[in-house]
């Protein structure tokens, strides 16, 4: 029986590639600032800590994670200053107590150590588009949890990390045939209009690999999708429900 420990997967990136379609940079690929989406990390994280789980943060190279600037705006919190302050204070506490500023590198976590984790969680933000999808060591880690049927949670752009399973083991996408919800193509097209550029689409890419993508009106407002060991959600509105479901899956595993 694994201990009450959860591995949290983060990106090292502070930007993602945006292919500009308008303005003076039209035709060029620029670095668009990004990082982890604050509430997508903080809400499930707080639930894990409240339930007595120990968390370990990990990223490709162990660099200090960067918050997505959009996720720190009051707009993201619908004007709730206190909620934003509470979640920023949680991240500050993780920096002081849980090594958040210096995540473990994926390569430093052996299969023997993975045995000690009850589950794995991947928050969103656009940063995973930069460095998680083709990371061989992340592929090894996710394949481990997949093979053991241990709870695996991902939200928004987090499911993009599932592509890494193609770069480890037998080279097959580990979640073929799984029902998955991610940041949708429709939501990304709205971002493209605001940013004046093209962005890689998580929904389309996963569907092309054989995932059964669940997207619709209720997924836009916080519904989550559960299939075997996976729980996934589309956007920040799903963060609370995803955290609750992940905890439930951990408790019965």
């Amino acid at each position: 029986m694994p201990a009450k420990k959860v591995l949290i997967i983060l990106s090292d990136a502070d930007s993602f590639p945006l292919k500009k379609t308008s303005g003076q940079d039209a035709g060029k690929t620029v670095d668009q600032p990004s990082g982890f989406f604050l509430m997508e990390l903080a809400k499930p994280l707080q639930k894990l800590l409240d339930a007595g789980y120990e968390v370990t943060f990990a990223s490709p190279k162990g660099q200090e994670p960067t918050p997505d600037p959009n996720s720190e705006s009051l707009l993201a919190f619908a004007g709730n200053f206190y909620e934003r302050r509470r979640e920023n204070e949680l991240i500050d506490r993780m920096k002081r107590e849980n090594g958040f500023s210096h995540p473990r590198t994926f390569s430093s976590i052996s299969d023997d150590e993975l045995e000690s984790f009850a589950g794995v969680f991947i928050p969103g933000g656009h940063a995973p588009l930069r460095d998680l999808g083709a990371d061989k060591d992340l592929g090894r880690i996710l394949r481990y949890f997949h093979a053991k049927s241990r709870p695996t949670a991902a939200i928004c752009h987090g499911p993009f990390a599932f592509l890494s399973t193609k770069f480890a083991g037998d080279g097959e996408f580990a979640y073929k045939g799984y029902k998955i919800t991610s940041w949708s193509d429709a939501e990304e097209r709205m971002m493209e209009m605001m940013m004046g550029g093209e962005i890689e689409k998580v929904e389309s890419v996963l569907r092309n690999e054989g995932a059964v993508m669940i997207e619709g009106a209720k997924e836009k407002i916080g519904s989550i999708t559960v299939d075997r060991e996976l729980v996934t959600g589309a956007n920040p509105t799903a963060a609370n429900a995803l955290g609750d479901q992940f905890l439930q899956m951990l408790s019965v595993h």
Side-chain angles (χ1 to χ4, degrees), residues 4 34 39 81 167:
K4 291 190 72 168
S34 187
M39 68 174 63
F81 169 81
F167 298 87

Side-chain angles (χ1 to χ4, degrees), residues 20 31 40 70 100 121 140 149 158 181-182 210 216 218 235:
K20 295 292 285 184
D31 291 335
E40 292 175 356
N70 290 329
F100 185 84
F121 167 48
R140 171 183 61 85
S149 296
T181 292
S182 71
K218 69 183 195 306
N235 59 42

Side-chain angles (χ1 to χ4, degrees), residues 191-212:
M191 296 296 292
E192 289 177 330
M193 287 175 61
M194 290 190 289
M195 294 180 177
E198 293 177 358
I199 305 168
E200 190 164 15
K201 309 293 189 299
V202 182
E203 178 190 350
S204 290
V205 169
L206 291 175
R207 182 179 287 116
N208 290 341
E209 293 297 335
V212 179

Side-chain angles (χ1 to χ4, degrees), residues 165-224:
T165 58
K166 292 172 56 184
F167 298 87
D170 61 8
E172 292 289 317
F173 179 60
Y175 305 101
K176 196 170 290 186
Y178 274 70
K179 294 176 182 176
I180 295 174
T181 292
S182 71
W183 185 249
S184 67
D185 291 0
E187 289 167 306
E188 202 68 276
R189 283 192 288 271
M190 290 176 61
M191 296 296 292
E192 289 177 330
M193 287 175 61
M194 290 190 289
M195 294 180 177
E198 293 177 358
I199 305 168
E200 190 164 15
K201 309 293 189 299
V202 182
E203 178 190 350
S204 290
V205 169
L206 291 175
R207 182 179 287 116
N208 290 341
E209 293 297 335
V212 179
M213 300 306 293
I214 308 297
E215 303 290 349
K218 69 183 195 306
E219 282 72 32
K220 299 288 190 295
I221 56 171
S223 280
I224 55 174

Side-chain angles (χ1 to χ4, degrees), residues 96-243:
R96 294 193 304 272
E97 300 174 7
N98 286 61
F100 185 84
S101 297
H102 304 282
R104 295 280 302 279
T105 60
F106 297 152
S107 60
S108 73
I109 303 174
S110 67
D111 286 359
D112 285 345
E113 185 175 356
L114 288 176
E115 178 61 32
S116 70
F117 291 100
V120 60
F121 167 48
I122 313 166
H126 280 82
L129 298 178
R130 171 76 76 185
D131 63 355
L132 295 188
D135 190 287
K136 185 177 180 180
D137 272 303
L138 178 56
R140 171 183 61 85
I141 289 168
L142 292 178
R143 278 183 168 276
Y144 186 92
F145 286 96
H146 173 64
K148 300 279 187 178
S149 296
R150 290 197 186 159
T152 300
I155 187 168
C156 198
H157 292 79
F160 191 80
F162 295 160
L163 296 169
S164 65
T165 58
K166 292 172 56 184
F167 298 87
D170 61 8
E172 292 289 317
F173 179 60
Y175 305 101
K176 196 170 290 186
Y178 274 70
K179 294 176 182 176
I180 295 174
T181 292
S182 71
W183 185 249
S184 67
D185 291 0
E187 289 167 306
E188 202 68 276
R189 283 192 288 271
M190 290 176 61
M191 296 296 292
E192 289 177 330
M193 287 175 61
M194 290 190 289
M195 294 180 177
E198 293 177 358
I199 305 168
E200 190 164 15
K201 309 293 189 299
V202 182
E203 178 190 350
S204 290
V205 169
L206 291 175
R207 182 179 287 116
N208 290 341
E209 293 297 335
V212 179
M213 300 306 293
I214 308 297
E215 303 290 349
K218 69 183 195 306
E219 282 72 32
K220 299 288 190 295
I221 56 171
S223 280
I224 55 174
T225 297
V226 180
D227 190 348
R228 288 160 276 188
E229 81 272 16
L230 283 193
V231 54
T232 52
N235 59 42
T237 64
N240 274 318
L242 182 114

Side-chain angles (χ1 to χ4, degrees), residues 73-85:
S73 69
L74 265 182
L75 184 62
F77 287 89
N80 190 330
F81 169 81
Y82 298 101
E83 184 182 7
R84 181 178 68 172
R85 184 172 68 182

Side-chain angles (χ1 to χ4, degrees), residues 41-63:
L41 171 60
K43 286 181 173 20
L45 172 59
Q46 186 65 66
K47 291 174 186 292
L48 290 168
L49 296 171
D50 289 346
Y53 282 87
E54 177 187 332
V55 297
T56 297
F57 299 100
S59 71
K61 297 177 182 174
Q63 296 175 5

